[in-house]
Amino acid sequence: MSAGSLAYLPLSSKLTALRGIGPAYATILAEAGFETVRDLLWSLPYRYVDRGSLLKIAELDRWHRPGGDREIVTVMGTLKDLRQSTTRVQRMNLTEALLEDASGVLRLVWFNQPYLGRLLKVGDRLLVFGALSLGRHGLEMRGPALEVMGRGNTPEEPWVQRYLPLYRKLGPITGRIRSRFVQDALGKVHAPDDWLPIELAKGLPDQISALRMLHQPPDEADARDLEARSTPAHVRLATEELFAFAMGVSLRRAGRMKRRGIVVPTNPELREKLRAFLPFHLTGAQRRAFKEIVEDLTSGRVMHRLLQGDVGSGKTLVAFLAMAMVAETSGQAALLAPTEVLARQHATTFARLLGEEASRMQLLLGPMKAAEKREALARIARGEARYIIGTHAIFQEAVSFDRLQLVVVDEQHRFGVKQRESLKEKGMDPHWLVMSATPIPRSLALAVFGDLEQSVLDELPPGRQPIDTRLLEPDAAERAWDAVARELAKGHQAYVVSPAIDPMDEAKVPLRDIQAMEALLRARFPEVPLEVVHGRLKADEMAIRMGRFVSGEVKILLATTVIEVGVDVANATVMVVDHAERFGLSQLHQLRGRVGRGSARSHFLMISGAETERLRALVETQDGFRIAQKDLELRGPGEFFGTRQSGIPQFQVADLLRDRKLLGTCRDVAETTLARGLSEGQLVWLRQEQARLKLAEIS
Ligand code: ADP
Ligand code: MG
């Protein structure tokens, strides 16, 4: 039988087609997100052990560098002794073991991993990797990672190649068993037709060869490239993912371009009217962004635009103008805010801007009284309400509009595709303007919002002074309270932010929670009206408390990060953040953006025992785009947005940060591919890839 005839399994086959996978395993695998052979093969080893780098236990002392960079070393041996106990002082579970190879014996120690007592047995063949430490009994490894390679008399895993790929376990399916499934699959799959355009595929292995190279690396592969995921095989798979993603984006965009959008009429009187609403001159950036929006609204296509800009760059005013374009001519415009506090704040801003015409605005909130809500909904349905402001949540309920022509989504990176679809089902296809909460680095914006046009506010309104930013050791916290006292004495207001602390969180350092902070502030500022807000408050109670701060009645607002986004109180000139190291970089920048909104000099004081790179970056720059880039580099794209809702595709091999140039190329090729037209086969491939990457959920 030739090798070719053995290969009969399409990548899309169910996993039960593999040897050893019955319904029980298939269920476990499905829960972990593995449905098809494709899913299994695309999930790469988390590590490769290079047999050439295996060390003998007797030579380990050469690898121990006290104080220096602790290098991870790998050894293989037989488990000789295993015992568990509880330490006297801290009552921790202690697992101690001895590992023996032909050259010597090494002590292994783990803390609080009692399950190891169940997992391991004397006589097991173990592969362990970790850093070396010098303990009382000599050289030892503390908390090493391990793989059980063989047990009792079972013959050792055949390890004929230089590299041994290691896989994460999936429930009861150990890395070893999983590896067998992968090897079985690799022997059976056949190469699908190659749909990657030649411009991208040039010089790279085909998909199946790439998968083989990564699950059975050839001996001549470079260990460092494998580790860094930069072999040609990796590049091939990353290209495959990024191209599928870019195609999806281009297709969606092309689809939108074909839809006929409402043409918003414009004339000199309208322009005059809008100008009359404005309390100040637009910044150059605001003017540019508005011009781009006007072009969209009058183009006959459906607008789908991202407006992004640094904190305080004046996105709200641009949104207002866009809404006024529609509301003052032919239709209705809705503004959706993430919280009620922000919805109310926008309503106040709009009422001020609209002046005598404020009755054309309608606020719509969840906890409104039934009669009030009915009236609000009626005003919207009849078309009397032209400017409609509410929370994202409320628009998921049934609201019927008279002529909804524009939706503005504030402070949200992604707004549900479902809501948009449901509007379309109701026969509405309004224009969309999405405003992002934090500046997004270019590389990521392209990836996440590639299907949107973008306007950037890269300029702050005139008269803004840089915010005096300082990092204080906990011992020097008194200086923060002095700064608060000074600002209060000038008639200004202050924010104090405490991290939301989970009581279960067993941190090594004592943390001051919001109650302790409240006690401290009340003792330090006994006469000053203070209000506390946090995430567990009911929405209406939150609104009342925030309202008192906005009106100036309350002078100190103590909050968890619920105030992070969007709150606009120009009289607040100082913010103190406790345990600043507990916050993300972009989050701190957002928080800082709550002060410095007026013309008075403002202060941002971070109390932290740990001077990290993140905190220093904040002291060094106030440019939100640079901070965002730094944050992205430090935390990676997934963490950067922080939420499930972020819309970041879950790539297995591609890395948006590292592969941003490749993504750019893929986008270009996607455009030309689309212009040439897609074949049936390409469409099938695309659908499969998009299902694997769960791209369908991304709008
Ligand atoms: P963000 O972009 O963070 O949402 P906002 O829209 O809340 O910023 O605007 C920040 C502050 O700047 C507000 O107090 C707003 O009134 C003010 N502002 C906006 N545009 C201008 C402008 N062109 N000139 C002066 N102040 C402005
Ligand atoms: Mg805002």
Side-chain angles (χ1 to χ4, degrees), residues 561 564 582-592 631:
T561 46
E564 168 186 337
R582 311 267 300 179
F583 297 87
L585 192 45
S586 297
Q587 207 178 9
L588 286 166
H589 182 65
Q590 262 295 320
L591 284 169
R592 173 164 63 182
D631 198 21

Side-chain angles (χ1 to χ4, degrees), residues 4 113 306 330 358 468 484 487 504 542 616 663 678 685:
Q113 305 207 24
L306 171 70
S330 55
D468 168 44
V484 169
E487 292 306 305
M504 299 302 287
M542 173 83 108
R616 271 196 307 277
L663 176 61
L678 285 177
W685 164 81

Side-chain angles (χ1 to χ4, degrees), residues 24 59 85 448 530 675:
E59 40 176 50
S85 57
V448 185
L530 175 148

Side-chain angles (χ1 to χ4, degrees), residues 383-564:
E384 282 161 38
R386 293 304 194 88
Y387 301 82
I388 297 140
I389 301 179
T391 54
H392 298 154
I394 192 95
F395 279 84
Q396 301 181 6
E397 295 175 22
V399 181
S400 53
F401 296 90
D402 178 36
R403 280 160 298 159
L404 181 66
Q405 298 187 346
L406 168 66
V407 178
V408 180
V409 185
D410 188 26
E411 308 286 5
Q412 179 114 338
H413 292 115
R414 273 282 165 193
F415 187 64
V417 194
K418 280 202 212 89
Q419 285 94 316
R420 215 171 312 162
E421 288 305 316
S422 90
L423 279 179
K424 255 193 251 164
E425 275 161 28
K426 290 185 209 159
M428 284 175 281
D429 197 3
H431 297 289
W432 290 84
L433 182 65
V434 179
M435 301 196 282
S436 91
T438 21
I440 305 162
R442 260 201 79 74
S443 52
L444 212 54
L446 201 69
V448 185
F449 299 104
D451 52 337
L452 275 62
E453 265 69 56
Q454 305 203 15
S455 296
V456 180
L457 299 184
D458 51 5
E459 185 183 346
L460 294 180
R464 294 281 173 81
Q465 297 185 45
I467 297 159
D468 168 44
T469 301
R470 281 161 211 258
L471 195 52
L472 300 174
E473 293 276 338
D475 291 348
E478 195 49 38
R479 281 166 53 198
W481 311 129
D482 288 345
V484 169
R486 270 197 306 276
E487 292 306 305
L488 293 176
K490 285 187 239 165
H492 293 309
Q493 289 160 280
Y495 293 102
V496 178
V497 179
S498 272
I501 294 168
D502 181 351
M504 299 302 287
D505 172 344
E506 29 87 54
K508 312 267 176 321
V509 285
L511 287 169
R512 177 161 48 200
D513 64 10
I514 196 162
Q515 280 93 2
M517 182 56 93
E518 183 180 358
L520 183 154
L521 291 173
R522 293 212 190 267
R524 181 72 169 74
F525 304 100
E527 305 293 310
V528 180
L530 175 148
E531 201 68 87
V532 186
V533 294
H534 51 75
R536 285 187 306 277
L537 286 180
K538 286 228 172 66
D540 44 351
E541 180 59 26
M542 173 83 108
I544 292 169
R545 295 189 185 184
M546 286 299 302
R548 288 202 201 111
F549 186 71
V550 173
S551 72
E553 180 192 331
V554 158
K555 299 299 177 193
I556 300 179
L557 187 72
L558 169 59
T560 53
T561 46
V562 288
I563 55 149
E564 168 186 337

